Amino acid sequence: MSQPTVSVLVPTFNRVNYIAECLDSLLAQTVPPLEVIVIDDGSEDGTADLLASYGHRIRHIRKENGGKPTAVNLGIQEARGDLIWIFDDDDVALPDAIETRLAALTGCPDAGFVYSPHYYGSDGPDGRIVQGRLHAVPEHDPDSFFAELMLGCFFHLATALVRREVYLQLGGFDTQLLSSEDYDMQLRLACTQKAVRSSAPCFIFRQHSGLRGAKAIRYVGADRSKVFRRFDQRVGRKLRADVDLRDYLPRHAGTGDEGRVCEAALLARMQVMASKGCLPEMLEDLRAVLALTDGKPAQGAAMVRKAICTGYAWSAMEDDWTDFRASLSELKAMPGGRGMVRAMALGCLAMAKGYPGTLSERLGKGRAGLQLWLNSIF
């Protein structure tokens, strides 16, 4: 049986200073790709001239600026390979990236995609990438893979080789997401496809302070977290609308006593909503749990403490602190509600004590914990 072919898609916008190193690394693979397709999303720098210098070694498509999802969707339609590798224009592939992941995928023919670890990197004195620390990725049980991914994005889409027909079946990327579009796609992949993990790192993820994102939301590296939170909230609300409640649990946990399963699923979804900074949805699920259990959820307090420490929960609380505290009144009025507010307080205090951050940031979390504790009493 012949080896599957790989189309590499490189969406780009105004990255003339980085894309040559990116393309050179893709063209130097130990197992060459069938094609490298660069989709220029309306660049306004010297990108077009640089791409022209590669001649027939790449396929170059230019379009009006519309954001990465529109560029990638165009590339998927144009691709001829069995597998698709979507790669960012400022990153650098390791030489055996295709070879190692093809080997993993060949060993698991029923998998829809393969993923792997990657390295972080930074600009060296000459502007070329310098390899840094490893980002290891877990090998989750297939039954819990989707549930774990909803809580946090533990692998990078640029490490994934995905069967082309899978991308086509999923309808491509969500063009309304100008950020977090990769994470949204990873969730859609994990919900419908079996994943296999390659243990070999496949690329270096460049960390830099330059401009990022589509033209409509262009931002510097320092603002990355704020932009990601805004779009991750949209991803969270998509999950809430599209994913059945039981699917927030590992597959083997969705059977048994109906009441217990519903309680566990509501608490799991509450954690996912918290991780995406969707605080009204988090509180809605928590009120539903209290109503279902007469105010005595078996794991409620522990799950709430963990939720406050997960993803974007704290930053969303901090940005809207006054309104968030006011929104707790309905929860406090329910049996067991004050205990849930105390659990939130303990979550804030745990972050103040043991999580990284400046002294000012940790003091802020500590003050928030004390205020929530008092809020649970009065």
Side-chain angles (χ1 to χ4, degrees):
M1 185 179 296
S2 61
Q3 186 167 252
T5 55
V6 176
S7 293
V8 187
L9 308 184
V10 184
T12 189
F13 176 62
N14 286 356
R15 282 281 172 73
V16 69
N17 55 325
Y18 287 138
I19 194 169
E21 190 175 8
C22 166
L23 295 178
D24 291 346
S25 71
L26 295 171
L27 294 170
Q29 291 291 298
T30 55
V31 173
L34 173 68
E35 58 190 353
V36 176
I37 306 175
V38 183
I39 308 97
D40 184 355
D41 195 34
S43 292
E44 300 160 334
D45 56 3
T47 294
D49 291 338
L50 186 146
L51 295 178
S53 71
Y54 280 83
H56 68 277
R57 290 184 294 165
I58 66 171
R59 292 176 62 193
H60 174 204
I61 302 171
R62 182 174 173 84
K63 62 181 285 295
E64 291 186 6
N65 185 267
K68 180 179 175 181
T70 62
V72 172
N73 286 346
L74 177 58
I76 292 171
Q77 295 297 325
E78 292 286 332
R80 298 173 299 192
D82 302 308
L83 302 165
I84 289 180
W85 181 14
I86 298 169
F87 200 70
D88 287 341
D89 55 4
D90 52 352
D91 297 330
V92 172
L94 298 178
D96 59 353
I98 292 177
E99 181 179 359
T100 54
R101 288 175 299 159
L102 279 179
L105 199 55
T106 300
C108 191
D110 60 336
F113 67 99
V114 57
Y115 70 103
S116 81
H118 67 270
Y119 290 104
Y120 290 100
S122 58
D123 291 340
D126 59 355
R128 294 183 64 80
I129 204 163
V130 176
Q131 182 176 304
R133 65 181 176 87
L134 175 69
H135 175 80
V137 294
E139 187 172 13
H140 287 294
D141 183 275
D143 284 345
S144 61
F145 190 91
F146 179 52
E148 292 291 344
L149 190 63
M150 283 193 287
L151 281 171
C153 187
F154 55 79
F155 74 95
H156 199 302
L157 187 63
T159 71
L161 286 183
V162 182
R163 300 191 191 279
R164 181 173 179 267
E165 66 265 22
V166 170
Y167 274 138
L168 293 173
Q169 290 166 9
L170 292 174
F173 285 68
D174 185 342
T175 58
Q176 299 301 307
L177 294 173
L178 297 181
S179 184
S180 301
E181 72 285 338
D182 285 358
Y183 183 36
D184 176 67
M185 177 54 75
Q186 287 164 263
L187 289 164
R188 292 159 62 198
L189 287 168
C191 185
T192 60
Q193 303 295 318
K194 181 179 179 180
V196 61
R197 176 182 173 273
S198 168
S199 61
C202 70
F203 86 104
I204 307 172
F205 178 30
R206 191 190 301 263
Q207 307 288 282
H208 62 87
S209 58
L211 290 172
R212 300 171 181 271
K215 192 173 182 179
I217 61 161
R218 208 68 169 148
Y219 62 93
V220 297
D223 291 334
R224 184 172 183 267
S225 180
K226 291 181 180 179
V227 173
F228 272 37
R229 174 159 66 89
R230 176 157 59 96
F231 284 95
D232 266 22
Q233 285 178 325
R234 298 187 188 183
V235 171
R237 291 177 182 128
K238 283 185 64 177
L239 287 171
R240 193 177 185 85
D242 298 340
V243 176
D244 289 341
L245 181 60
R246 284 176 180 260
D247 290 337
Y248 286 84
L249 296 174
R251 290 190 181 97
H252 62 270
T255 58
D257 178 78
E258 185 70 22
R260 291 294 179 88
V261 170
C262 186
E263 175 188 346
L266 283 167
L267 285 170
R269 190 171 70 178
M270 180 271 300
Q271 282 194 305
V272 171
M273 293 299 107
S275 75
K276 306 298 175 277
C278 298
L279 300 184
E281 292 82 1
M282 176 193 80
L283 293 176
E284 181 181 336
D285 284 339
L286 192 50
R287 291 193 298 268
V289 168
L290 293 178
L292 180 68
T293 63
D294 295 324
K296 298 177 181 178
Q299 299 294 324
M303 295 280 278
V304 169
R305 284 198 303 271
K306 185 177 179 181
I308 296 302
C309 302
T310 304
Y312 293 113
W314 162 252
S315 58
M317 288 165 55
E318 184 183 31
D319 282 355
D320 207 8
W321 181 242
T322 301
D323 287 345
F324 176 71
R325 287 182 63 192
S327 70
L328 299 176
S329 58
E330 186 177 350
L331 181 67
K332 286 167 51 180
M334 299 182 69
R338 292 180 182 271
M340 297 301 100
V341 178
R342 284 193 291 273
M344 294 178 197
L346 291 174
C348 291
L349 293 172
M351 287 191 294
K353 180 180 179 181
Y355 280 57
T358 65
L359 178 60
S360 175
E361 290 169 342
R362 295 173 70 178
L363 287 173
K365 293 170 183 174
R367 283 193 297 270
L370 292 174
Q371 288 176 19
L372 286 176
W373 190 274
L374 292 172
N375 196 325
S376 73
I377 300 172
F378 301 106

